[in-house]
Amino acid sequence: MFKKVLVAEDHGLTGTGLKERLSLLQIPEVTVVHYCDDALLKSKGAVQQNQPFDLVITDLSFKNSYKNRRITTGEALIAALREIQPSIKIIVYSVEHRVGKIKSLFDSYAINGFVGKDREDLNEINKAIQETFEGRQYISPSLQQSLRSVENQLELDAYDIEVLQLLSKGYKQEQIAQKFQERNYPASSLRSIQDRLGKLKTIFGAKTPVHLVAQAIERGFI
């Protein structure tokens, strides 16, 4: 089992509950911090001392405070942790429900597990830790079907995501085509952009560009 675990959680009672759960797994060293910056500092210090953490459990959303912070989200923390300790195991523990966002955490940052905060969440933490320790990914059962559905239905590439991002910023089709042409992207003609938007509307079940952007945001793709 893991020997050294770092928990980044700004809600005191939740952090305490996590620490109690981890103690049941007989993990000898558990450190709980309330800010992402503190989590990164702890991790850097542990690496420098050649005593790195085996596992990090982090929320995604952290409330604002008077303290000046450089890292304000769990996603930014995960990215920073991957830079200083690429092999560290990471479990996200969050109320996030947008399957697009959850999928991107696995795809972009290779997180090892995702546990949704609900009534059975603390019971799932033990399962997630055990699965992660044994080298398997863990996703809350309540989210598995939705995530599987997204993987089967939404085949978006980098260009699709960029089109959605530009569309959300108010770019017109002609402007998107021009932007793609400036970057020497393939299939950057106005017709190509129109075809791509048509495909995206079909995928998301959207009738208008505004509806398309709303659906992409709701599912966590932008």
Side-chain angles (χ1 to χ4, degrees):
M1 180 47 67
F2 296 117
K3 302 300 182 184
K4 190 172 181 177
V5 177
L6 177 64
V7 175
E9 169 60 59
D10 61 357
H11 193 283
L13 290 177
T14 302
T16 300
L18 284 170
K19 191 168 186 176
E20 291 175 353
R21 282 285 171 173
L22 294 174
S23 69
L24 295 177
L25 295 174
Q26 298 183 334
I27 296 173
E29 185 174 346
V30 179
T31 301
V32 179
V33 296
H34 303 302
Y35 299 99
C36 294
D37 287 341
D38 292 342
L40 185 59
L41 285 173
K42 290 284 187 182
S43 184
K44 283 182 176 178
V47 170
Q48 291 170 355
Q49 295 171 15
N50 200 29
Q51 296 179 333
F53 287 97
D54 306 310
L55 169 69
V56 171
I57 301 174
T58 181
D59 198 348
L60 292 178
S61 300
F62 290 78
K63 59 180 178 289
N64 294 325
S65 71
Y66 65 89
K67 185 176 181 179
N68 290 328
R69 297 180 298 165
R70 188 173 67 86
I71 301 177
T72 59
T73 68
E75 184 172 354
L77 172 61
I78 292 167
L81 289 171
R82 281 281 178 246
E83 289 185 6
I84 64 172
Q85 192 181 344
S87 62
I88 193 168
K89 305 295 185 182
I90 298 174
I91 294 174
V92 173
Y93 180 54
S94 172
V95 296
E96 177 65 68
H97 67 281
R98 296 176 300 166
V99 290
K101 172 59 68 176
I102 296 170
K103 184 176 185 300
S104 72
L105 292 171
F106 281 98
D107 293 344
S108 301
Y109 304 111
I111 66 170
N112 304 92
F114 186 98
V115 177
K117 288 185 177 179
D118 58 31
R119 289 177 298 180
E120 302 297 326
D121 52 8
L122 288 177
N123 291 329
E124 283 192 47
I125 283 292
N126 288 25
K127 296 177 184 177
I129 292 173
Q130 188 65 47
E131 292 288 300
T132 298
F133 180 73
E134 294 175 3
R136 294 185 292 271
Q137 286 186 342
Y138 182 88
I139 306 172
S140 292
S142 61
L143 296 168
Q144 285 179 2
Q145 185 59 44
S146 296
L147 192 59
R148 192 175 299 116
S149 177
V150 166
E151 291 174 340
N152 290 339
Q153 296 177 19
L154 302 185
E155 298 179 358
L156 306 186
D157 58 26
Y159 295 125
D160 292 326
I161 299 299
E162 187 160 0
V163 167
L164 290 170
Q165 291 174 338
L166 291 173
L167 201 63
S168 71
K169 295 176 181 177
Y171 280 70
K172 304 299 183 184
Q173 295 178 22
E174 294 83 359
Q175 294 172 310
I176 295 174
Q178 182 179 356
K179 181 73 70 174
F180 275 28
Q181 289 163 14
E182 291 172 352
R183 298 177 181 177
N184 294 318
Y185 286 174
S188 59
S189 66
L190 177 59
R191 179 57 183 272
S192 296
I193 299 302
Q194 291 172 335
D195 289 344
R196 193 177 290 270
L197 284 172
K199 182 194 78 171
L200 290 170
K201 286 179 182 178
T202 299
I203 289 175
F204 284 94
K207 296 182 179 180
T208 67
V210 172
H211 189 203
L212 173 59
V213 168
Q215 287 294 310
I217 291 174
E218 172 64 23
R219 301 192 192 188
F221 286 95
I222 55 176

